Amino acid sequence: MNTRTLELMVGLFVAAGIAALFMLAMSASNLSSYGGDEGYTVKARFDNIGGLKTRSPVSAGGVRIGRVTEIGYDMAGYEAWVTMSIDPQYDAFPIDTSASILTSGLLGEQYVGLEPGAEDEYLASGSVITLTQSALVLEQIIGQFLYSKGDE
Amino acid sequence: MVETILNRTQMLGRATLDGFARLGRASLFLLEVLSNLGGMLKRPGLLIKQLFSVGVQTLIIIVVAGLFVGMVMALQSYYALVDFGAENSVSVMVVLSLLRELGPVITALLFAGRAGSALTAEIGLMKTTEQLSGMEMMAVNPIERIVAPRFLAGVIAMPLLAAIFSAVGVMGGYLVAVELLGLDAGAFWSQAQENVELIDDLGNGMIKSLVFGVVVSWIAVFEGYDCIPTSEGLGQATTRTVVYGSLAILVLDFVLTALMFGK
Amino acid sequence: MSETLVKIRGLTFSRGNNLIFDNVDMDIPRKGITAIMGPSGTGKTTLLKLIGGQLQPDSGSIEVDGQNIHQLKTRELYELRKRMGMLFQSGALLTDLSVFENVAYPIREHTRLSESMIRQLVLMKLNAVGLRGARDLEPAELSGGMSRRVSMARAIALDPMMIMYDEPFTGQDPISMGVLVKLIKSLNDALNFCSIVVSHDVRETMSIADYVYLISAGTVVEHGTPEAITNSESEWTRQFIKGLADGPVPFHVKATPLLDDLLTTAERKRG
C-alpha cells in the first residue's frame, strides 16, 4: 500500500472518530443547553425542595426555559435557596411570578414550575422570587391524611 | 513433609518476587518509551503507518460490535421500561450506558484482542528474528523506532475507536427503538439530550478510554519486547497481552468509575 | 601482530547461576580475520553481544578502539556502533523493507546523503556480495545464505572499522558455505579492516582465519595462528579440531558403570 492511500485511510479514521465525538456531543448530550449559562439568574426560597437537584429543569407552562444551577440552605431563615438560570430569550417574567416545585408524573423527576404574575416590572438578574410553593412530600401527605382520619 | 511445605513456600516467594521484578521492568520500560516519544515525533510517517494498522484495521470490528450492542441495549431496556410506562427513556439508558461503560470497556477489550495481540506478536517476532538487536547494532534505538510509534498509535486510536463505537451504538439503538419498536424519534433524542451530561458522561467516558489506551498499549508493547525469543515464548506473550490487558481494563474500569461517578 | 582493536581484560559474565565467562583475556588485532571457536553453548554469541555493548559484564573490561564499551554514555555507544558491523545468525533483516531498503537503512539513518548517492552506495555494497540483481526482493523471498549476504552488505554500508560474524556458516549447504567463506575473506582483503568470526565450523573457519581463539567452559583454552592450533599438543584441542567422538570430552555422560545400572534395574523389577 503506498503512502498516499495510507495517509488517506488514517485521515478518514481520525475524521470519523472526531465526527463520532461531535455527533455524541450534539445530538445525544446536553451540549445545546449549555448556552443557558448566558441567561440571567433568579433566586427563590422554599421550605422544602424535595428531590430537586442542580441541573433540574425550570419550566413555564410545560416548556423548559432554564435550569437549576445551585442549591443551598440558609441558616438564618432555616430555608432552602434555589438559584436558577433562565435562558435569555425569556426575559419578561413579571416580578410577582410564583415558583413551585412540581413532579413530572407520579414518580418522575422534580422540576421548578414558574407561574407568571401580573406586575409591569420584570424579573432581572439577581431578582428573588418571593411567592413559592414547596415540594409535596408524599410521606407528609399520607401522614396528614391518616392523622385527619384518626381524628374523625 | 516439612520439606515440601518449605519448598512450596520458597516457590511462592520466588514467584512473588518475579512478579514484582516484572512490574518493575515494565515500569522502567514505560519510562523509556515515554522519553523516546519526542524523538519519534520527528518522523510522523512511522506514527501514521501504525495508526493505520492499530486504528483503521480495528475499525470494522468496532463498528459491527457497536451497532449490535446498541441494538440489544435498546431492546433490553425497552422490555424493562415498558412495564413502568417509561419506554421513552430507552434512549437515556442506551446513551448513558454506551458513553459511561460499554463504549470504553468493550472497545478496549476488542482492542486488546485484535490490535494488542498483533502488536505483541509483531514486536516479539522482531525480537525473535534478531531484528531488534540488529537495529541496536546499527546504532538505531528500537524503542524509539519500533516501540514508541506503536505505543502512541494505540493511545491515540483508543478514544477515537470508543467514540465511533458509542456513536454507532446510539444509531443502532435508534434503529431498534424508533424503526422497530415505533417509539417517537423526537422523544428519543430529546430524552437523551435532557439527561446526558457533556462533561460528566461523554468527557469521563473519553478519559476512561484514554487510560485504557495507555494501559493496553503499554502491556502489548512490553510483552512483545520482553518475550522469550522462541516461538513458544511468543505465543505465551501474545496470550498474556490479551489476558492481562482484559483484566487490567476491567479492574481499572471499576476504579475509574468509583472515582468519577461515585460522589 | 598489528595494533589491537578489541582488548578484553578479566571478563566475567554469568547468566543466572551459569558462569559463562570466567576471567577471559583477549586481544583482537585491528586488521585481519580473528576466529573465535568453541563447542556449542560456550557463549560465543554472548561474547559478540558483550563487545557490541548489548550486554553488561559482571566484571572486567572491554575496550574497542581505546574506548571502554561499558562506561560509554548511550550516545557515545551509538556513535561507536556506527563503526561496528554485525552479522546475525538469522540475518536480522527488517522484514517490512526490500533488500535495497535494508542496505540503505543505516545510510538513511545516519547520513544526509542525496537519494542518488544512496542508490550508488547501496548498489556498490550489494554488488560486493553479488546480490545487485536481488535488490527488489523481499527478505521473505531470500534463502538463508542470501539473507546473510544482504546482511553483510548492510553491515559494511557505513564503512565500519570492524565486522562481527555470528555463526555465519551454520545450516548452510556446501555451495553457499563456500560463497560465504570466500566473501568474508575477500571483504576483509578489500576493506582491510577487522573481522571477528565466531563459529564451530572448524575447517571453513581455519581456512580463512589469521588468528584463532579456542574457548571452552568459560575460559580461553588456546590461541595462536591456525597452523599452531592444528599442530597443538593439547588433547582437547586435537579432539575439537579433528572432531573426534571420544577424548577429554567423553562420549558417555558421567554415570555409574553399565553393569551396575542394569543389575539395579533388574533387581528393582524383581522386588
Side-chain angles (χ1 to χ4, degrees):
Chain A
M1 188 178 299
N2 66 33
T3 322
R4 173 116 187 95
T5 333
L6 199 85
E7 284 172 350
L8 195 69
M9 300 286 278
V10 172
L12 286 175
F13 166 62
V14 174
I18 293 170
L21 264 179
F22 201 67
M23 176 240 158
L24 290 172
M26 291 307 289
S27 59
S29 84
N30 62 349
L31 176 71
S32 43
S33 64
Y34 265 69
D37 288 340
E38 293 161 9
Y40 62 99
T41 55
V42 295
K43 285 189 168 192
R45 63 180 103 175
F46 296 92
D47 293 332
N48 191 327
I49 61 163
L52 200 70
K53 297 185 198 68
T54 49
R55 301 202 64 80
S56 289
V58 176
S59 55
V63 177
R64 184 183 170 130
I65 57 162
R67 60 192 165 81
V68 173
T69 53
E70 201 185 337
I71 291 172
Y73 190 68
D74 174 22
M75 281 308 287
Y78 300 113
E79 278 173 325
W81 277 97
V82 173
T83 310
M84 296 164 261
S85 167
I86 314 274
D87 295 352
Q89 67 266 38
Y90 309 110
D91 58 353
F93 280 102
I95 51 167
D96 60 341
T97 293
S98 67
S100 23
I101 294 176
L102 304 169
T103 309
S104 57
L106 190 59
L107 298 166
E109 61 168 352
Q110 292 189 299
Y111 65 98
V112 179
L114 297 186
E115 190 69 35
E119 291 281 337
D120 290 338
E121 277 181 72
Y122 297 134
L123 288 175
S125 196
S127 301
V128 175
I129 297 176
T130 45
L131 295 170
T132 62
Q133 190 187 348
S134 289
L136 288 177
V137 178
L138 207 58
E139 293 91 320
Q140 284 179 359
I141 298 172
I142 295 170
Q144 280 167 3
F145 175 73
L146 291 177
Y147 194 71
S148 61
K149 279 284 173 195
D151 276 355
E152 282 172 14
Chain B
M1 183 61 195
V2 175
E3 214 165 279
T4 3
I5 293 173
L6 272 178
N7 275 338
R8 289 275 159 80
T9 322
Q10 213 172 15
M11 267 162 59
L12 196 69
R14 186 168 302 146
T16 316
L17 287 182
D18 283 351
F20 279 115
R22 240 179 106 71
L23 184 64
R25 223 167 40 244
S27 309
L28 291 174
F29 180 74
L30 180 65
L31 282 182
E32 208 178 338
V33 172
L34 292 177
S35 68
N36 277 300
L37 282 181
M40 185 226 82
L41 287 177
K42 281 179 269 173
R43 292 160 205 273
L46 289 177
L47 180 64
I48 288 181
K49 203 167 160 190
Q50 292 314 317
L51 267 177
F52 179 79
S53 60
V54 166
V56 179
Q57 294 188 333
T58 317
L59 200 56
I60 301 282
I61 320 177
I62 295 294
V63 168
V64 174
L67 187 69
F68 282 98
V69 167
M71 284 164 69
V72 86
M73 277 301 300
L75 213 51
Q76 287 284 15
S77 38
Y78 177 80
Y79 291 141
L81 293 170
V82 75
D83 290 346
F84 304 101
E87 65 269 27
N88 275 326
S89 297
V90 163
S91 67
V92 182
M93 282 283 280
V94 173
V95 175
L96 275 188
S97 45
L98 278 172
L99 287 184
R100 287 183 171 190
E101 283 299 325
L102 299 177
V105 172
I106 298 186
T107 304
L109 290 175
L110 291 173
F111 185 91
R114 169 67 179 78
S117 59
L119 279 183
T120 306
E122 194 190 5
I123 295 178
L125 192 67
M126 292 186 84
K127 180 175 183 178
T128 312
T129 54
E130 294 176 311
Q131 292 183 53
L132 297 181
S133 282
M135 290 183 98
E136 273 184 35
M137 285 309 296
M138 286 190 283
V140 173
N141 184 353
I143 300 227
E144 179 187 311
R145 210 50 55 80
I146 299 294
V147 177
R150 284 166 175 76
F151 174 78
L152 190 62
V155 175
I156 294 175
M158 185 76 91
L160 293 174
L161 288 171
I164 293 172
F165 183 97
S166 296
V168 173
V170 172
M171 289 187 246
Y174 178 87
L175 277 182
V176 168
V178 176
E179 305 293 333
L180 194 68
L181 301 171
L183 298 182
D184 181 53
F188 184 90
W189 294 118
S190 68
Q191 280 286 325
Q193 288 175 2
E194 291 276 309
N195 290 287
V196 177
E197 300 285 335
L198 185 71
I199 306 288
D200 282 355
D201 297 323
L202 183 58
N204 281 344
M206 287 299 111
I207 291 174
K208 263 191 189 178
S209 69
L210 195 66
V211 174
F212 294 159
V214 171
V215 172
V216 174
S217 310
W218 174 26
I219 292 177
V221 293
F222 174 71
E223 288 295 349
Y225 199 81
D226 195 58
C227 81
I228 301 162
T230 59
S231 45
E232 200 191 356
L234 195 58
Q236 287 169 348
T238 315
T239 312
R240 272 203 304 271
T241 294
V242 179
V243 173
Y244 291 168
S246 309
L247 289 180
I249 290 161
L250 296 173
V251 172
L252 271 174
D253 182 47
F254 172 75
V255 176
L256 289 173
T257 307
L259 282 177
M260 288 170 171
F261 301 112
K263 277 181 203 160
Chain C
M1 197 162 147
S2 72
E3 196 195 338
T4 304
L5 181 68
V6 181
K7 191 163 137 192
I8 302 175
R9 288 290 173 272
L11 176 71
T12 303
F13 180 83
S14 52
R15 193 167 263 159
N17 293 326
N18 252 348
L19 190 63
I20 296 183
F21 293 114
D22 186 11
N23 206 10
V24 168
D25 293 345
M26 271 190 203
D27 287 291
I28 297 172
R30 194 173 277 280
K31 304 212 182 299
I33 300 174
T34 303
I36 297 170
M37 294 198 286
S40 304
T42 41
K44 301 187 295 295
T45 305
T46 309
L47 183 66
L48 292 188
K49 289 198 165 178
L50 282 162
I51 296 175
Q54 292 189 308
L55 294 172
Q56 290 286 330
D58 299 340
S59 65
S61 69
I62 299 178
E63 277 180 25
V64 177
D65 199 25
Q67 289 174 286
N68 188 331
I69 277 275
H70 300 100
Q71 284 171 3
L72 293 179
K73 298 202 176 66
T74 313
R75 183 166 304 172
E76 297 166 327
L77 179 63
Y78 273 41
E79 276 307 311
L80 190 61
R81 277 186 188 159
K82 289 181 194 169
R83 297 193 287 140
M84 303 164 85
M86 179 146 173
L87 184 91
F88 288 86
Q89 240 181 83
S90 59
L93 296 177
L94 300 172
T95 37
D96 53 345
L97 298 179
S98 69
V99 165
F100 181 92
E101 284 302 322
N102 259 291
V103 180
Y105 191 79
I107 307 176
R108 286 194 204 285
E109 283 294 329
H110 298 306
T111 66
R112 300 229 169 276
L113 295 179
S114 68
E115 199 53 37
S116 62
M117 278 287 278
I118 292 179
R119 194 182 126 84
Q120 285 186 9
L121 268 176
V122 172
L123 292 184
M124 267 160 58
K125 304 292 175 189
L126 276 174
N127 199 41
V129 297
L131 290 179
R132 192 161 41 85
R135 61 176 177 260
D136 293 326
L137 295 181
E138 296 295 319
E141 301 171 274
L142 300 176
S143 71
M146 275 161 89
S147 49
R148 275 178 217 191
R149 280 153 71 186
V150 175
S151 190
M152 277 165 89
R154 185 177 69 176
I156 58 169
L158 291 174
D159 295 318
M161 59 183 175
M162 64 186 287
I163 181 166
M164 296 186 274
Y165 298 94
D166 184 10
E167 305 275 8
F169 311 123
T170 312
Q172 297 300 307
D173 63 65
I175 298 176
S176 68
M177 191 123 85
V179 169
L180 287 167
V181 170
K182 181 184 154 288
L183 264 178
I184 293 174
K185 179 75 179 152
S186 63
L187 275 184
N188 192 73
D189 290 348
L191 299 170
N192 196 23
F193 62 172
C194 164
S195 302
I196 304 175
V197 182
V198 147
S199 177
H200 50 227
D201 293 290
V202 176
R203 205 168 53 81
E204 288 74 19
T205 315
M206 294 284 264
S207 70
I208 50 169
D210 296 314
Y211 203 79
V212 177
Y213 277 92
L214 283 183
I215 55 175
S216 174
T219 52
V220 175
V221 180
E222 199 160 359
H223 58 98
T225 58
E227 296 72 40
I229 297 285
T230 318
N231 302 324
S232 167
E233 294 296 309
S234 153
E235 285 268 332
W236 186 91
T237 307
R238 219 179 303 158
Q239 188 193 1
F240 181 76
I241 298 293
K242 301 225 168 84
L244 305 175
D246 210 352
V249 180
F251 171 73
H252 286 292
V253 174
K254 205 182 273 177
T256 48
L258 178 63
L259 195 59
D260 290 359
D261 234 359
L262 292 177
L263 284 175
T264 340
T265 323
E267 267 162 26
R268 223 181 259 153
K269 265 188 193 149
R270 210 179 301 146

